[in-house]
Amino acid sequence: MFLLLRSGAFQATEDLEPMSAFKWGRLYQLAVMHNIVPFVYDGIIRNKNQFFLHLTEKQQKDWEKAIADYRAKEKKQNDEEEDEYLRPDRLTNPLLNKRLQDILDDEHSDVTSRQLLMNIIRVVRHLFNEGMPIRQLTELGIFLRENNQRIDYQAVGKWISRLRLSQMTQLTGEFLIQLFGFTEEEIPFLKNRKEKRIDRIAQELIEFTDTRSQDWYFSQQDGGIFVHNTNSSATFSHVRRSARYFKYYPSESVTNFFLSFVHSLSHIEE
């Protein structure tokens, strides 16, 4: 998947390997699940003349339908209010959120640099609440490639330290290098590389493929008095994610878990 994703999103030249019908089906499933259909499909089109890239007529129609569904979904989402727990302009820890708002309200700071900070926080929020942030990492990578020369990395580094984001930013940089083919020179905010478990962490692609934040909201049947969880496995997935990434961002991880739990209870009728 990452070969086609890198090719489609970053115009990278990739040598594709032969894939079975099962692997093509899995690729399609993951692309839809992680909301990266247009990037992967662009990679398919870009490499359509490679020897090992041959789509059946049915597969071609499936991808075309996925593109149409994606565009319809994007339009619908643009008309809906964004889930507050995935918004990149806030943190759940009160102290850190106050610092973030001070940064975002500073009209004298560089706008592009603030946008980079928002992209990093978007990755972090998605990682805590939804799982592996493939779409958000892709958009972060595109932003870096397009705006690298315009970013004040000294200011971004100070903001990252102030928000205690250093370890999560390191992890994000490692993802970009090992999964998306970036170089260390392209990520000036990356410091000493110590994370050796990126491949195991990326296993979330398989472990949490079908869970989203909405899946573990609590709800109540019409006219009923019993409250139930939408998806108990999604709840346990959320708990495991919070525990797994606690060491990278402890001050935000705890408050994010408890406040998102409270948010899930808000779906119960009074």
Side-chain angles (χ1 to χ4, degrees), residues 2-261:
F2 285 105
L3 294 178
L4 289 172
L5 180 57
R6 290 197 295 263
S7 182
F10 307 112
Q11 292 74 55
T13 300
E14 304 286 355
D15 294 324
L16 304 183
E17 300 176 356
M19 292 175 57
S20 64
F22 172 80
K23 288 184 177 180
W24 273 111
R26 184 60 173 161
L27 168 65
Y28 175 82
Q29 181 187 35
L30 289 172
V32 172
M33 201 170 293
H34 291 283
N35 202 24
I36 53 173
V37 168
F39 301 119
V40 176
Y41 188 66
D42 284 348
I44 291 175
I45 298 301
R46 181 179 173 82
N47 295 279
K48 63 181 180 181
N49 294 322
Q50 285 203 31
F51 180 79
F52 291 117
L53 202 162
H54 295 289
L55 296 180
T56 65
E57 183 177 348
K58 180 182 183 306
Q59 288 172 331
Q60 182 66 36
K61 289 181 178 179
D62 286 343
W63 279 104
E64 291 173 356
K65 181 180 183 302
I67 288 291
D69 291 344
Y70 169 86
R71 290 171 179 165
K73 180 181 178 182
E74 285 287 286
K75 184 179 184 303
K76 181 180 179 181
Q77 287 179 339
N78 290 335
D79 296 334
E80 295 178 349
E81 185 177 351
E82 186 177 14
D83 191 320
E84 64 179 288
Y85 286 97
L86 295 181
R87 286 175 57 178
D89 62 348
R90 66 178 64 180
L91 292 169
T92 58
N93 181 287
L95 174 61
L96 298 181
N97 187 58
K98 175 63 169 60
R99 293 177 181 177
L100 174 61
Q101 300 313 311
D102 289 343
I103 292 170
L104 299 181
D105 291 340
D106 183 3
E107 297 180 356
H108 299 291
S109 63
D110 178 64
V111 174
T112 305
S113 301
R114 277 183 278 163
Q115 289 175 332
L116 172 60
L117 180 65
M118 295 273 281
N119 273 282
I120 294 173
I121 294 177
R122 180 178 285 110
V123 170
V124 173
R125 300 308 309 281
H126 195 95
L127 190 63
F128 278 143
N129 294 288
E130 303 275 297
M132 194 66 180
I134 302 300
R135 171 63 183 259
Q136 291 70 27
L137 283 167
T138 303
E139 292 175 342
L140 172 59
I142 293 173
F143 183 86
L144 282 170
R145 288 274 171 90
E146 293 179 347
N147 299 279
N148 195 281
Q149 301 301 318
R150 300 167 52 199
I151 297 170
D152 183 351
Y153 285 105
Q154 185 175 3
V156 173
K158 291 180 179 178
W159 296 338
I160 288 172
S161 296
R162 191 178 178 194
L163 296 174
R164 302 176 186 171
L165 260 173
S166 298
Q167 288 183 288
M168 284 302 297
T169 304
Q170 287 290 108
L171 182 63
T172 299
E174 289 286 356
F175 278 132
L176 290 175
I177 289 174
Q178 296 198 31
L179 302 180
F180 291 81
F182 275 63
T183 64
E184 292 186 43
E185 290 72 23
E186 292 180 287
I187 313 175
F189 55 76
L190 185 69
K191 296 182 180 179
N192 297 325
R193 299 183 60 189
K194 298 179 180 179
E195 182 57 63
K196 305 296 184 182
R197 302 180 301 159
I198 292 298
D199 291 339
R200 185 168 69 83
I201 293 173
Q203 189 67 19
E204 278 200 28
L205 282 170
I206 299 174
E207 293 177 3
F208 302 120
T209 50
D210 294 318
T211 62
R212 294 294 183 265
S213 58
Q214 299 94 324
D215 296 337
W216 70 288
Y217 289 163
F218 289 87
S219 59
Q220 186 175 21
Q221 293 181 345
D222 294 340
I225 61 173
F226 295 104
V227 174
H228 65 90
N229 183 253
T230 311
N231 185 337
S232 59
S233 65
T235 304
F236 288 116
S237 295
H238 192 76
V239 172
R240 288 198 299 269
R241 270 199 301 274
S242 297
R244 175 174 294 181
Y245 297 108
F246 174 81
K247 76 168 190 173
Y248 295 101
Y249 206 2
S251 51
E252 175 69 11
S253 175
V254 173
T255 54
N256 179 81
F257 176 78
F258 283 106
L259 288 182
S260 57
F261 181 81

